[in-house]
């Protein structure tokens, strides 16, 4: 961090100075809204400014009205990355579990590679839209409302479609277990 | 296998499947015909972009608005295989517009849709995350040692709030060009199209037809006739097409009154987890809602769009709204 600050020009240093003075509270607000924790929000602001310094030349070349939106995109995504690193979210169709650390719980430990591979095969043979729906829901954590917007269907239809796919996979999985 | 284990296994399988999709996309050399979107499709695309996962919204803005290279995007978003992710996003967007698998969206159309989506995105971020004063730790100050202002104690919120308001107005104006305002379409009476997104709602004037009585000069003559006694005018901002008045009292409570010329650019507000209620202000139609201790009121009057945001509650907001009039 300090190395960066030493090698940037006086002009660039002044630019970061102004940016910090005018927007650090906005960036902190953005980070706190996502992370809900003072230390993590502070870490996010620090990381945001690191990235801003790192991409200073690019930012300075942008038109004036685009510079702050660019930094806001950095602040949001940096905060979300910190959140992802700290929280593990497990989605089911009825409940969402959030745990505070990423260490494997007792249930995770018993996940069998064989089961994962079986489900992977099933997911990969789904029609492309069903596969995308699962990826958006279980990898990208989208709500059914967002999925509905992206698939041009209602939230209820998206949820029903998601449940139908999961039920189908669950049924096939149980059939596989019975055969074992 | 119980439910929790099943969902964890499914999540793992989906992750592996997704990683493989991205890996294949990265090396894919399929060339598709790119098609230009019409204005309606571009607006629809902007709406779809805002429903994408956050890192993909950032990915599209960085590529199509800020023209960042892959290495920069990777560093900012902390993701690798940018091309693979881009193919994935663009296929989802094509599908969401019911376009054939054999076509892709033209770069120019993507750029325009992103420019429509950006102010809405920034508006929702600002609305949901107000600036917060924070006393940074010694460690933080040490890390940002050469940034002098990082060493100072926080100053008053209001200075920043004003600058954010100015910045917000500037970006709205700068990016509104794709939703061109057609003065010929203005009317004395208009209605609003209310779009509700997961975290915010936008209010867009539609069926606006021309009237000679609407201009920015006239809008500037409007102000509240009533403001509670202990409040003083803190800031006034007038940048075509909008005016903003900010009032504060010694307890730190505030009233923000905004007036705007009706055009096709949206007024955006944080309405997450709230119910928007229709309201009449002296016979003029409007909407109101309550969120996180703030009361929001938007309404139309004399052909203009007005809004009040305050922490004083509904009664005061309505009383102030009923007092808005032209000084002429």
């Amino acid at each position: 961090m300090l190395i960066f600050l030493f090698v940037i020009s006086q002009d660039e240093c002044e630019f970061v100075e102004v940016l910090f003075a005018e927007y650090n509270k906005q960036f902190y607000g953005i980070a706190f809204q996502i992370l809900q924790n003072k230390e993590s929000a502070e870490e996010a602001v620090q990381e945001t400014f690191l990235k801003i310094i790192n991409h200073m030349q690019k930012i300075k070349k942008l038109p004036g009205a685009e510079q702050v939106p660019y930094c806001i995109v950095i602040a949001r995504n940096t905060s979300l990355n910190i959140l992802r690193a700290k929280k593990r979210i497990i989605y089911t169709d009825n409940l969402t579990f959030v745990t505070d650390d990423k260490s494997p719980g007792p249930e995770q430990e018993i996940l069998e590679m064989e089961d994962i591979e079986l489900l992977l095969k099933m997911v990969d043979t789904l029609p492309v839209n069903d596969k995308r729906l699962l990826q958006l829901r279980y990898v990208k954590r989208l709500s059914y409302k967002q999925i509905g917007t992206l698939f041009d269907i209602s939230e209820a239809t998206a949820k029903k479609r998601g449940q139908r796919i999961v039920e189908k996979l669950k049924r096939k999985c149980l059939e596989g277990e019975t055969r074992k | 296998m119980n439910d929790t284990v099943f969902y964890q296994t499914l999540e793992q399988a989906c992750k592996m499947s997704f990683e493989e999709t991205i890996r294949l996309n990265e090396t894919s050399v399929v060339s598709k015909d790119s098609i230009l979107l019409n204005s309606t499709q571009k607006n629809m695309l902007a709406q779809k972009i805002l429903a994408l996962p956050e890192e993909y919204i950032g990915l599209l803005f960085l590529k199509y608005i800020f023209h960042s290279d892959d290495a920069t995007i990777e560093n900012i978003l902390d993701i690798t295989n940018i091309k693979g992710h881009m193919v994935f996003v663009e296929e989802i967007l094509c599908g969401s517009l019911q376009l054939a698998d054999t076509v892709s969206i033209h770069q120019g159309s993507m750029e325009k849709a992103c420019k429509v989506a950006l102010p809405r995105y920034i508006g929702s971020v600002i609305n949901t995350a107000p600036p917060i004063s924070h006393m940074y730790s010694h460690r933080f100050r040490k890390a940002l040692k050469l940034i002098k202002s990082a060493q100072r104690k926080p100053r008053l919120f209001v200075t920043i709030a004003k600058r954010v308001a100015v910045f917000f107005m500037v970006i709205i104006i700068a990016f509104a060009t794709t939703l061109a305002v057609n003065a010929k379409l203005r009317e004395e009476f208009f209605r609003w199209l209310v779009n509700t997104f997961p975290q915010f709602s936008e209010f867009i004037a539609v069926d606006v037809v021309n009237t000679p009585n609407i201009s920015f000069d006239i809008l500037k003559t409007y102000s509240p006739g009533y403001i509670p006694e202990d409040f003083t005018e803190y800031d006034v901002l007038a940048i075509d097409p909008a005016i903003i008045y900010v009032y504060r009292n010694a307890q730190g409570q505030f009233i923000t009154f905004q007036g705007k010329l009706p055009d096709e650019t949206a007024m955006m507000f944080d309405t997450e987890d709230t119910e928007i209620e229709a309201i009449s202000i002296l016979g003029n139609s409007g909407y109101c809602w309550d969120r996180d201790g703030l009361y929001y009121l938007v309404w139309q009057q004399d052909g203009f769009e007005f809004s009040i945001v305050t922490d004083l509650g509904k009664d005061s907001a309505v009383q102030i709204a009923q007092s808005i009039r032209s000084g002429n």
Side-chain angles (χ1 to χ4, degrees), chain B residues 176-238:
Chain B
T177 48
T178 46
L179 291 170
V181 178
N182 185 344
K184 286 181 185 166
L185 291 179
R186 287 186 184 154
E187 191 189 23
E188 206 163 1
F189 299 102
F190 54 89
R191 64 190 175 85
W192 267 328
L193 176 69
V194 183
N195 287 329
T196 304
F197 296 96
Q199 292 189 320
F200 68 103
S201 295
E202 59 177 22
F203 299 80
I204 309 172
V206 290
D207 299 339
V208 184
V209 180
N210 194 39
T211 171
N213 298 326
I214 296 179
S215 71
F216 183 59
D217 284 337
I218 295 172
L219 175 65
K220 282 193 289 187
T221 66
Y222 279 79
S223 62
Y226 162 78
I227 285 294
E229 265 182 17
D230 57 332
F231 278 75
T232 54
E233 188 178 285
Y234 175 75
D235 198 11
V236 180
L237 184 71

Side-chain angles (χ1 to χ4, degrees), chain A residues 17 25 42 58 76 149-150, chain B residues 48 66 96 137 149 155:
Chain A
E17 182 81 36
K25 291 178 188 178
E42 191 172 292
K58 166 76 188 168
R76 278 286 294 183
T149 304
L150 289 174
Chain B
K48 307 288 183 192
F66 306 126
S96 76
S137 67
S149 44
R155 285 180 295 174

Side-chain angles (χ1 to χ4, degrees), chain A residues 151-166:
Chain A
F151 281 69
D152 224 13
I153 52 179
S154 70
E155 182 183 354
T157 307
K159 189 170 183 179
K160 211 173 278 178
R161 192 179 291 179
Q163 284 170 337
R164 181 181 51 77
I165 302 165
V166 169

